[in-house]
Amino acid sequence: MKFEKLSTEMVFRTQTYKVTKENIYKFALEFDPQFMHVDEHKAKKTIFNSIIASGLHTLSISWKLWVELDLIGEDVIGGVGMENVKFIAPVFPEDELRVEVQIIEKREHPKKHDRGYFTIVLKTYNQNSKLVLTMEVLGLVKRNTTLVN
């Protein structure tokens, strides 16, 4: 989807992703090996009473679900930045996550007329519709150059 087709009124809903104990361990062992993610015995003594997914894991799952919608497709140039990332609630083994994505802003590139910026807000929910993560992402997308020139 090129820049011209993006609208701030657009809201998208992803498929779901079931978080397993195994993928919590696998992600955490490689990228965030804190005890609450990898040591079930110690994690049972925390306020969560269980292992929980790393916030970075939850963020990665959320991003995967958005990308799998394939709405921007090959028109995407790349991500520019992330802001206001908030880990609101823990994600437990067997939680089923889904994401709602809204385009909140789009603006032309000030110098390069073949591209434009867009900002999306991702809100990730569990199976109980409890909000677990929010974040804003700034992306860069191709413009329809036949309309620009």
Side-chain angles (χ1 to χ4, degrees):
M1 184 179 307
K2 290 201 182 335
F3 177 81
E4 290 76 16
K5 291 194 175 187
L6 297 174
S7 164
T8 56
E9 297 171 13
M10 294 177 159
V11 177
F12 306 98
R13 290 171 180 79
T14 69
Q15 297 294 319
T16 61
Y17 182 94
K18 188 165 191 171
V19 180
T20 65
K21 190 183 296 186
E22 291 75 27
N23 61 30
I24 289 173
Y25 285 143
K26 184 177 179 181
F27 183 94
L29 285 171
E30 187 165 357
F31 300 109
D32 192 1
Q34 297 182 74
F35 74 90
M36 74 285 291
H37 309 311
V38 298
D39 187 326
E40 201 161 1
H41 179 71
K42 286 182 181 178
K44 282 189 182 286
K45 297 176 185 176
T46 68
I47 61 172
F48 308 114
N49 198 34
S50 169
I51 65 163
I52 57 170
S54 164
L56 297 173
H57 189 189
T58 304
L59 185 151
S60 296
I61 292 167
S62 301
W63 189 251
K64 168 191 171 55
L65 291 170
W66 157 247
V67 170
E68 285 178 343
L69 286 176
D70 197 30
L71 297 168
I72 309 294
E74 293 184 15
D75 291 324
V76 70
I77 296 171
V80 177
M82 235 179 248
E83 293 184 344
N84 301 316
V85 177
K86 295 183 177 131
F87 306 114
I88 296 166
V91 172
F92 296 95
E94 304 309 308
D95 276 357
E96 201 161 309
L97 303 180
R98 65 182 171 79
V99 182
E100 290 182 6
V101 181
Q102 181 175 6
I103 298 172
I104 61 165
E105 181 185 27
K106 67 180 247 186
R107 57 187 160 86
E108 295 179 10
H109 193 287
K111 296 181 182 172
K112 302 195 179 201
H113 301 292
D114 63 340
R115 61 196 75 174
Y117 293 105
F118 67 102
T119 303
I120 56 175
V121 171
L122 289 86
K123 294 181 179 179
T124 305
Y125 298 89
N126 69 15
Q127 67 280 358
N128 300 316
S129 297
K130 182 171 183 155
L131 185 63
V132 298
L133 170 84
T134 62
M135 65 179 165
E136 291 178 19
V137 178
L138 178 63
L140 193 58
V141 66
K142 294 176 187 172
R143 293 193 63 195
N144 187 341
T145 55
T146 59
L147 297 176
V148 176
N149 295 330

